[in-house]
Amino acid sequence: DDDGLNDDDGLHNNNNNNNNGKKSSRAAADGRGGLHRRDAKRLAAGVRRIREIFQEAPLNDYVLQETHPGDTIDSDDQLLSWVFDAYTQNSHWCCSVNFGSHGALDPRNLNLRGIDNLYVADASAFPAIPNGNVHSTVVAVAAEFADRFVDDLRRIDEKKNDDENEEKNDEHLRSRHNDPLAKGGEEGKGKKKEQQRRRRRRRLF
């Protein structure tokens, strides 16, 4: 019976094939609001199964009442009608700037190619849509990006400090090279002694 919740609408039964070897699509014409009737029947059957699960111990000790669809919705037709009225459509937008082989992001650091300091670490970065809710995958991508981003910043700081220290050393060497007092020879020694005598005079007076 096409109205029952337990038939498979020809999904698994090869006897339901038509003469051309193609499966019947009679259920498709009965869909409402974009929901295939076959899927609606499966959802309704799922409601029945969940009811059975929560009627068993120990879960039945924690269930006060069924809120949705409610105890009054019990027949196959009622459950099917409730599914059509209650279901909502949603989609998970992703992969718009992905880090795939031809994507817009550098897979190493999720930097948008060609633009410095612009990074994408949300569902847009996925190379392909996950088989399920995207939330956990977004968290995983963001966490991995954060670790790599911090490591990159640390390396940049270390390189900057190394460059600054190298510049200071070079400057010190240039200063010593240009300072007569830092040079060897009699000229440097003579000037150094003269400065020492001047300092002694200032202390005396």
Side-chain angles (χ1 to χ4, degrees):
D1 181 7
D2 187 49
D3 291 331
L5 298 185
N6 295 321
D7 71 288
D8 61 8
D9 279 336
L11 288 177
H12 306 292
N13 187 351
N14 290 332
N15 293 329
N16 287 336
N17 290 356
N18 61 22
N19 294 332
N20 294 326
K22 297 180 180 178
K23 292 182 178 179
S24 172
S25 59
R26 57 193 172 91
D30 296 330
R32 277 195 286 158
L35 179 64
H36 199 293
R37 182 176 177 81
R38 174 189 59 207
D39 295 328
K41 291 168 70 175
R42 288 175 172 174
L43 291 171
V47 173
R48 285 204 185 281
R49 182 61 183 137
I50 291 173
R51 284 174 170 174
E52 293 173 0
I53 292 173
F54 278 93
Q55 286 172 358
E56 299 292 332
L59 296 179
N60 57 352
D61 293 334
Y62 300 95
V63 177
L64 299 179
Q65 68 180 40
E66 180 181 309
T67 306
H68 298 288
D71 296 336
T72 59
I73 307 298
D74 189 54
S75 71
D76 291 349
D77 288 340
Q78 287 175 324
L79 281 174
L80 200 59
S81 178
W82 176 81
V83 167
F84 277 120
D85 292 337
Y87 99 102
T88 58
Q89 290 182 330
N90 60 66
S91 57
H92 302 295
W93 297 97
C94 60
C95 312
S96 57
V97 285
N98 64 80
F99 57 82
S101 57
H102 301 289
L105 301 179
D106 183 343
R108 189 188 67 82
N109 57 12
L110 301 187
N111 181 211
L112 190 64
R113 301 181 194 276
I115 301 180
D116 294 336
N117 299 321
L118 179 57
Y119 303 87
V120 180
D122 59 11
S124 306
F126 296 172
I129 186 170
N131 186 19
N133 196 292
V134 301
H135 175 73
S136 59
T137 313
V138 169
V139 173
V141 168
E144 180 65 20
F145 164 75
D147 289 342
R148 296 188 183 192
F149 187 70
V150 170
D151 288 342
D152 284 347
L153 290 179
R154 186 178 294 114
R155 282 193 292 270
I156 291 172
D157 286 341
E158 291 175 353
K159 186 179 184 305
K160 181 179 179 182
N161 291 334
D162 291 343
D163 291 343
E164 290 178 350
N165 291 333
E166 185 176 352
E167 178 64 25
K168 288 179 181 178
N169 290 335
D170 292 343
E171 184 177 352
H172 179 68
L173 291 175
R174 288 194 298 270
S175 176
R176 287 181 58 84
H177 180 74
N178 296 326
D179 186 359
L181 298 182
K183 294 180 180 180
E186 295 300 324
E187 180 183 359
K189 292 179 181 178
K191 290 186 177 182
K192 188 173 183 180
K193 290 181 179 179
E194 179 63 25
Q195 285 186 353
Q196 290 174 346
R197 283 196 295 270
R198 289 176 181 175
R199 283 197 292 269
R200 283 198 295 270
R201 289 196 195 96
R202 283 197 294 268
R203 286 198 295 269
L204 290 173
F205 297 99

